[in-house]
Amino acid sequence: MSSIERKVMSVVVFRIDRRSGVATYLQIVRQVEQALRMGALEEGDRLPTAAQVAATTKVNPNTTLKAYRELERAGLAEVRQGAGTFITRTLAEPGAGPEWPLRTALNAWLHQARDEGLGGEEVQALFRAAFEAAYPSAPQS
């Protein structure tokens, strides 16, 4: 596996919520868009293959291909025959890269929580409670 594939596999981990009422292919599209906004995916990055997504999410490979076609239609990705699907542009705001102040503050908070002995589930619960307080009308997932 190349370093790019390792990077993408560690960055893009699709989480499918079958109870959300949102079509599975749209969940994939939205997760890629979010990764693009956050700077986690960049121009030239390779997305996991439909078979890789199927193996990790139990989603039909055709569903992933539909999502990738939608990303291609939106001008965010391109399919290169025999090579894979690659990101063609970013949605990140200028300055939203790894050193973006909000990301830096969040990373510091996460490290502090870990250093104080909080586990992943506790951190997620704290974040969820804070998020719901700040965004009370946000849809639940």
Side-chain angles (χ1 to χ4, degrees), residues 40-97:
L41 281 174
E42 300 171 346
E43 187 174 336
D45 285 347
R46 183 178 173 275
L47 293 172
T49 66
Q52 289 168 328
V53 175
T56 59
T57 64
K58 308 300 184 233
V59 168
N60 186 307
N62 289 328
T63 301
T64 302
L65 293 173
K66 182 176 181 179
Y68 287 3
R69 281 192 304 273
E70 181 65 21
L71 291 166
E72 188 172 30
R73 188 194 62 74
L76 298 173
E78 72 175 348
V79 176
R80 298 179 193 159
Q81 199 63 29
T85 303
F86 293 84
I87 297 299
T88 55
R89 70 181 175 94
T90 183
L91 294 175
E93 295 293 324

Side-chain angles (χ1 to χ4, degrees), residues 12 14-18 20-34 47 50 53 57-74 76:
V12 181
F14 295 114
R15 302 210 187 307
I16 305 303
D17 181 356
R18 287 166 172 73
S20 72
V22 176
T24 303
Y25 86 96
L26 281 178
Q27 291 182 51
I28 294 170
V29 168
R30 289 177 181 167
Q31 289 174 44
V32 169
E33 290 172 340
Q34 183 63 21
L47 293 172
V53 175
T57 64
K58 308 300 184 233
V59 168
N60 186 307
N62 289 328
T63 301
T64 302
L65 293 173
K66 182 176 181 179
Y68 287 3
R69 281 192 304 273
E70 181 65 21
L71 291 166
E72 188 172 30
R73 188 194 62 74
L76 298 173

